[in-house]
Amino acid sequence: MEMLNQGLMEGLSSSQIGFYLNSTNLNNYSPPPLGTNHHHHQQQQQSDDLKPLNHNHSNYYLQSSFTLDHVTSTLTKAASREDDYLSVNYNLCRSAAWGEGTKGLFQLGGSKRSCNGEDDYPNYVGVSAVKMKKIKGRRKVREPRFCFKTMSDVDVLDDGYKWRKYGQKVVKNTLHPRSYYRCTQDNCRVKKRVERLAEDPRMVITSYEGRHVHSPSNDLDESQGGTQPQLNNFFW
DNA sequence: CGTTTTTGACCAGCGC
DNA sequence: GCGCTGGTCAAAAACG
C-alpha cells in the first residue's frame, strides 16, 4: 500500500483536531529532513524547534527530526513555557499526529508530500486552530485530543481498548455518518469517534479525546485470530 | 439475561 | 430569540 497523505486538514471541521496518517508499513517510514523544502511557508529561523504557524492560531510545528524523545522534550518545554497542560500524543507512524494544548494544536510530526504528487505541504501539514474557550472567565477544561487517518475498509480499528457506541450522527456535506464511542472501563471517560473522510471514503478518521486511566484491555483470545486490523505500538 | 447497538429526542453552542 | 448543527441521552431493540 502506498503511503497516503493529503497533507491538509481536509474533511475536518473547526471543532475537530489534528491530522493523521497511517499505513501498512509505518515502521519503515522516516520523515524527510525538515528545512529543505519550505518554499510555501518561509519560516523565521529561531533557536527553538517549536514555532507558531501563525500568530492568530498559536499553532506549532516541529522543525527538526521526529524522534519520540525529541517530540516529547520539545513539547514539554512548550507546555511549561505556556503554563499549560499538554498531552504528548504520538503514534507509531511518526508522520502526522497532533496533540492539543490550551493555545491550540501542536503538531507532533511532519508528513511526506501528498500521494498525488502535489506539493502542497512537503514536510509538514497545515493546521487549523482550535481555540480553547473560556467560560465565565475561566478556561474551559478540555481533555487532550488527537486523531489520525487510516486507509481501511473497517471503520472501527482495534486499538486495544474496549468501546461502547453511544451515538451516531449524520454530519452535513458527508455521505457517511459519524459514530461516537466511549471506553467501557469504569471511571474512564475516554471518547472516540469514527468517520470516513468525505473526500476519500477509503480513509477512516479516528479521533480520541481524553486519557485512559487504565491499560489496554484487549482480550487476546479474540484479537489474535481476529480480522480487525490492529494498531500496534499505539499509545497516548 | 446481561451487554451492546440503534435511533429519535434532547440539549448546548454558535451565527445571524 | 431562532434555527442550524453536532454531541449525548436513553429507551427499546438486538445480540450472543
Side-chain angles (χ1 to χ4, degrees):
Chain A
M1 187 188 296
E2 265 299 302
M3 180 71 70
L4 291 177
N5 181 10
Q6 297 189 332
L8 291 171
M9 298 279 293
E10 293 175 288
L12 290 183
S13 71
S14 60
S15 64
Q16 293 178 294
I17 56 135
F19 190 82
Y20 23 68
L21 176 134
N22 208 340
S23 183
T24 52
N25 55 353
L26 296 172
N27 284 314
N28 300 327
Y29 176 66
S30 60
L34 287 182
T36 61
N37 207 357
H38 280 165
H39 49 277
H40 272 78
H41 300 261
Q42 301 302 329
Q43 268 75 36
Q44 353 41 2
Q45 293 303 317
Q46 298 175 7
S47 57
D48 229 349
D49 289 323
L50 209 56
K51 299 186 176 74
L53 276 178
N54 67 56
H55 304 305
N56 294 331
H57 292 164
S58 298
N59 297 319
Y60 295 81
Y61 69 95
L62 279 170
Q63 199 166 25
S64 45
S65 59
F66 309 114
T67 66
L68 177 58
D69 286 343
H70 181 79
V71 168
T72 305
S73 63
T74 305
L75 292 182
T76 301
K77 272 196 303 184
S80 60
R81 182 167 60 237
E82 296 184 357
D83 189 25
D84 194 6
Y85 83 82
L86 178 72
S87 64
V88 179
N89 301 315
Y90 182 79
N91 68 22
L92 156 74
C93 66
R94 295 180 191 170
S95 48
W98 295 91
E100 184 179 31
T102 307
K103 291 207 166 183
L105 296 175
F106 295 89
Q107 181 178 350
L108 305 188
S111 68
K112 223 176 165 182
R113 68 185 56 224
S114 54
C115 58
N116 51 14
E118 291 172 8
D119 203 15
D120 309 300
Y121 293 83
N123 293 327
Y124 57 93
V125 293
V127 61
S128 67
V130 174
K131 293 199 170 146
M132 305 304 280
K133 303 192 174 162
K134 294 189 174 179
I135 290 182
K136 294 173 182 140
R138 301 211 162 176
R139 180 190 300 152
K140 179 182 181 181
V141 176
R142 185 187 273 169
E143 295 294 320
R145 305 186 298 172
F146 78 107
C147 64
F148 59 92
K149 182 168 69 179
T150 309
M151 175 177 269
S152 170
D153 296 332
V154 182
D155 285 346
V156 183
L157 304 171
D158 186 358
D159 51 21
Y161 292 90
K162 198 88 165 52
W163 304 92
R164 171 162 42 249
K165 188 173 183 177
Y166 68 91
Q168 175 169 310
K169 203 71 179 176
V170 178
V171 291
K172 68 165 189 177
N173 299 328
T174 62
L175 294 173
H176 305 88
R178 173 183 301 163
S179 296
Y180 301 87
Y181 298 87
R182 205 191 305 278
C183 183
T184 57
Q185 190 85 13
D186 283 352
N187 301 326
C188 187
R189 310 241 66 191
V190 177
K191 286 179 288 189
K192 156 186 182 175
R193 54 188 215 199
V194 177
E195 64 185 297
R196 292 208 168 261
L197 188 62
E199 291 81 357
D200 185 0
R202 300 172 301 172
M203 305 299 256
V204 173
I205 300 177
T206 307
S207 310
Y208 293 94
E209 175 176 341
R211 270 184 182 277
H212 291 280
V213 296
H214 57 96
S215 47
S217 56
N218 208 355
D219 285 340
L220 290 181
D221 48 67
E222 289 219 68
S223 65
Q224 290 301 74
T227 55
Q228 275 192 328
Q230 284 192 266
L231 301 169
N232 297 320
N233 301 329
F234 193 70
F235 88 85
W236 65 91

